[in-house]
Amino acid sequence: MNRGSLNIVGLGPGKDNLLTQEAKDVLLKATDIVGYKTYVRRVEIRPGLTLHASDNRVEVERATHALDLAHKGAHVVVVSSGDPGVFAMASAVFEALEYGKPEWKQIGISVLPGITAMLAASARLGAPLGHDFCAINLSDNLKPFSVIERRVELALEADFAMAFYNPRSKSRPNQFGRILEILRERAGEDRLISFARAVSTKEERLTTVPVREATAEMADMRTMVIVGSSQTRSIDGTSFIYTPRFLGKREGQVE
Ligand code: SAH
């Protein structure tokens, strides 16, 4: 009987103290760390720990490797940034599990949550996600760009605030410009848009502008883009933006 384990862990947005205690505990007991090289680098090296760093875009191969190691008795931790269930490795592991070797279903698998970039960014900005919102991955790696455009249009129609992951990369520098066009056409030039780059790291940069001033170059692969709903506003004299919990006006009311 194998006694291996597989924990799928979120490392949070960057800063060490935003890593959960639960994640720290399993990292200390691990024999093997599997993940994209940038994230594996964040794990402290110690004797008895093997690091398996791979390139981007090989998620299912990486997941298969992790399941195989755990099945042979290793204590494997698969690492993602932020939360492992948000556009990250947890789904890839379950995909590999569903279609993989039947004996893998005996492995003790746990998913440990982490602070996702969207929540780290929104906390730094104030409370832009204080009312209904949605999260959209702008990468067309796993879905056609037409689906992304349609989802953004429908989210605007429903007046959700939006959190965009993977807004822009070197391999697709122009699509984000098209998303900005949709925002200007359908939400109006005054809609607030925030760019939160490398949140909780030394390179953190936060910018909020009306969409008329936004350019595609304001986003890159380390940026979380947050688009306000029609109700999202900034508070004069502060750097905070927030979305009220109620719809419509409630002037002068103190709670
Ligand atoms: N699983 C991760 C998301 C992976 S997708 C999570 O839950 O956060 C990668 C995208 O996340 C990046 O392109 C960027 O949009 C966002 N991201 C990750 N870390 C970030 C950070 N520290 N600051 C801003 N955005 C970040």
Side-chain angles (χ1 to χ4, degrees):
M1 194 56 199
N2 86 78
R3 297 196 162 272
S5 63
L6 178 56
N7 283 287
I8 310 163
V9 165
L11 297 177
K15 207 158 114 187
D16 276 350
N17 61 4
L18 294 181
L19 181 64
T20 68
Q21 190 59 51
E22 183 182 47
K24 283 181 190 159
D25 292 346
V26 300
L27 285 168
L28 281 177
K29 290 188 196 131
T31 58
D32 296 81
I33 307 289
V34 173
Y36 174 44
K37 55 190 176 194
T38 312
Y39 307 144
V40 168
R41 242 181 258 136
R42 282 169 57 184
V43 177
E44 223 169 285
I45 306 168
R46 59 176 160 76
L49 183 68
T50 309
L51 304 180
H52 308 264
S54 42
D55 279 333
N56 214 348
R57 294 196 179 192
V58 290
E59 286 88 357
V60 175
E61 287 93 318
R62 196 187 289 147
T64 303
H65 183 210
L67 284 159
D68 212 33
L69 287 169
H71 184 247
K72 288 179 181 147
H75 294 290
V76 182
V77 173
V78 172
V79 290
S80 286
S81 75
D83 180 274
V86 179
F87 310 129
M89 281 307 292
S91 286
V93 171
F94 290 123
E95 216 177 299
L97 182 68
E98 185 179 4
Y99 300 106
K101 297 185 185 157
E103 56 269 30
W104 286 349
K105 294 187 176 151
Q106 309 309 316
I107 300 169
I109 299 178
S110 306
V111 183
L112 310 188
I115 297 179
T116 187
M118 165 181 83
L119 299 184
S122 110
R124 294 290 290 125
L125 294 165
L129 306 180
H131 197 76
D132 297 341
F133 66 90
C134 65
I136 303 179
N137 184 350
L138 294 193
S139 166
D140 67 350
N141 188 16
L142 300 169
K143 64 190 169 196
F145 188 64
S146 57
V147 169
I148 299 171
E149 288 176 295
R150 181 89 180 118
R151 288 189 177 162
V152 171
E153 287 166 4
L154 290 173
L156 286 171
E157 194 180 320
D159 200 18
F160 285 122
M162 290 180 275
F164 294 151
Y165 286 80
N166 294 311
R168 185 163 170 263
S169 73
K170 288 194 189 104
S171 61
R172 44 182 180 84
N174 302 321
Q175 289 174 349
F176 183 59
R178 172 66 195 134
I179 297 294
L180 288 177
E181 257 174 50
I182 295 175
L183 295 177
R184 277 195 284 268
E185 280 162 20
R186 303 203 176 212
E189 302 276 340
D190 295 332
R191 181 63 60 93
L192 291 180
I193 181 168
S194 302
F195 299 85
R197 185 171 192 277
V199 174
S200 93
T201 76
K202 281 191 216 112
E203 292 92 49
E204 179 177 294
R205 206 176 57 221
L206 306 169
T207 315
T208 299
V209 291
V211 74
R212 87 177 90 85
E213 288 171 27
T215 62
E217 293 68 35
M218 290 169 135
D220 66 6
M221 277 309 270
R222 296 189 72 194
T223 308
M224 191 72 223
V225 177
I226 308 247
V227 180
S229 75
S230 65
Q231 306 295 306
T232 305
R233 61 198 76 186
S234 51
I235 303 178
D236 283 349
T238 78
S239 63
F240 293 123
I241 59 165
Y242 80 107
T243 307
R245 293 161 303 141
F246 50 85
L247 269 181
K249 280 218 160 85
R250 244 192 179 190
E251 268 167 40
Q253 183 156 348
V254 179
E255 281 186 290

